[in-house]
Amino acid sequence: MRPHPLEPAARTVLRLEKVTRQYAQADQPLVILKEADFAMNAGETVALVAPSGAGKSTLLHVAGLLERAEEGDVFLRGEPCGGLSDARRTAMRRSDIGFVYQFHHLLPEFTAAENIMMPQMIAGLKQPQAQERAEQLLDYMRIGHRGHHRPAELSGGEQQRVAIARAVANAPSILLADEPTGNLDPETAGYVFEALEALVRQSGLAALIATHNHEIANRMDRRVTLQDGRVVDY
C-alpha cells in the first residue's frame, strides 16, 4: 500500500473550536452541540461513546463538513472550513475525509473491487491504477479473494470491510465512522475493527468512531462522549 502523505504522526488533523450546532423547532431551537471543542492527531483512534440522541451523528456530520455549524469552526489539517464554499467543502470531503456508516451503502450492481475503484476514478485516477489500489486494499482487509463478488454475495463482515476500504481509497487524512460494526455479531465486529485498526496504524490515518460497543471502544487510544453539547473525556 502507498504511504499516507501525513507526517509526523503527532500532527493535528481535525480540530473543532467552540462549535455550536442547532436545529429549528416550533417553539425554540434544539441545541445539539454547544461550544464544543475537540482535536485529534494523525494515527490516533478515538471512540465516541454516547446514548442515542445525544448528537454523535451530528458531531460526525459537522466534523466531516456535511453540515455547517452556526458558531465556531472546524479545522481540517489546519485550514478553517466554516467559510468555505460548498464546492470547496465537497472537494475536501472527497480528498481528505472518509466515511463509514452502520449500513455499508455499497453499490449493488458493482463488484467489491469496483466499489472501491469508483471514488478513485471520480477523483481522476485512471482505471488501472484504481484497480491496483482496490486490490491492495482488499488484500489488506483480508478479503482479496472476494474482489469479483457483488455485495449481495458477501457476508455482513465482508461488506463492511469493503466499505472501509472504499472510504480510505483516496488516502484521506481522517476516517469518520458511525457505528461501523453495529449490524455485526460480536465476533465479526471484532474482526472488522481489527482490520480497521491495523489500517489506521499503517497509514497514519486518524479515526473517529462512534460506537455502542464498549469492548471495541476500550481498544482505542482514547474515548470521548457528549455531555450538555460538549465533547468530554469518557
Side-chain angles (χ1 to χ4, degrees):
M1 293 175 60
R2 65 186 179 188
H4 194 276
L6 283 179
E7 55 183 41
R11 179 175 177 180
T12 299
V13 294
L14 174 68
R15 179 163 59 93
L16 276 63
E17 188 174 282
K18 302 298 182 185
V19 166
T20 294
R21 180 71 175 110
Q22 59 189 29
Y23 300 98
Q25 287 192 143
D27 49 355
Q28 62 181 6
L30 176 63
V31 179
I32 304 298
L33 301 176
K34 183 179 180 180
E35 297 186 345
D37 294 318
F38 174 73
M40 62 185 305
N41 296 329
E44 183 180 31
T45 57
V46 179
L48 175 58
V49 184
S52 296
K56 297 191 301 298
S57 295
T58 297
L59 178 62
L60 291 174
H61 289 171
V62 171
L65 309 185
L66 291 169
E67 297 184 20
R68 291 182 184 267
E70 279 76 23
E71 298 178 15
D73 209 343
V74 176
F75 296 81
L76 185 61
R77 295 198 297 175
E79 181 176 355
C81 300
L84 297 178
S85 67
D86 288 342
R88 175 60 180 150
R89 288 165 67 93
T90 297
M92 293 187 77
R93 285 196 302 271
R94 185 180 299 132
S95 62
D96 290 310
I97 305 170
F99 296 92
V100 180
Y101 298 98
Q102 182 173 353
F103 299 100
H104 57 77
H105 296 300
L106 298 174
L107 299 173
E109 65 271 30
F110 294 104
T111 66
E114 289 167 344
N115 268 276
I116 301 169
M117 291 167 61
M118 198 69 62
Q120 300 179 74
M121 295 175 68
I122 290 173
L125 202 64
K126 300 296 184 184
Q127 182 175 342
Q129 289 77 25
Q131 183 170 348
E132 180 181 4
R133 171 73 169 165
E135 291 172 354
Q136 289 176 338
L137 285 165
L138 286 167
D139 285 340
Y140 197 81
M141 300 300 285
R142 301 180 182 176
I143 50 172
H145 61 294
R146 305 291 274 164
H148 296 293
H149 293 259
R150 288 181 170 81
E153 301 171 310
L154 304 175
S155 70
E158 289 170 339
Q159 290 170 345
Q160 202 63 326
R161 277 182 275 182
V162 173
I164 293 169
R166 179 183 60 183
V168 302
N170 286 335
S173 305
I174 184 168
L175 178 70
L176 302 174
D178 196 352
E179 296 288 350
T181 62
N183 285 330
L184 306 176
D185 64 81
E187 184 176 7
T188 302
Y191 290 145
V192 170
F193 178 75
E194 185 177 301
L196 188 157
E197 185 179 37
L199 188 62
V200 168
R201 303 302 184 204
Q202 188 273 345
S203 65
L205 181 71
L208 176 60
I209 303 172
T211 181
H212 284 105
N213 189 320
H214 289 273
E215 182 178 342
I216 285 178
N218 289 336
R219 294 166 60 179
M220 298 190 214
D221 295 323
R222 59 189 172 102
R223 293 171 296 167
V224 298
T225 189
L226 287 165
Q227 189 174 86
D228 299 324
R230 292 179 171 88
V231 182
V232 298
D233 292 335
Y234 179 75

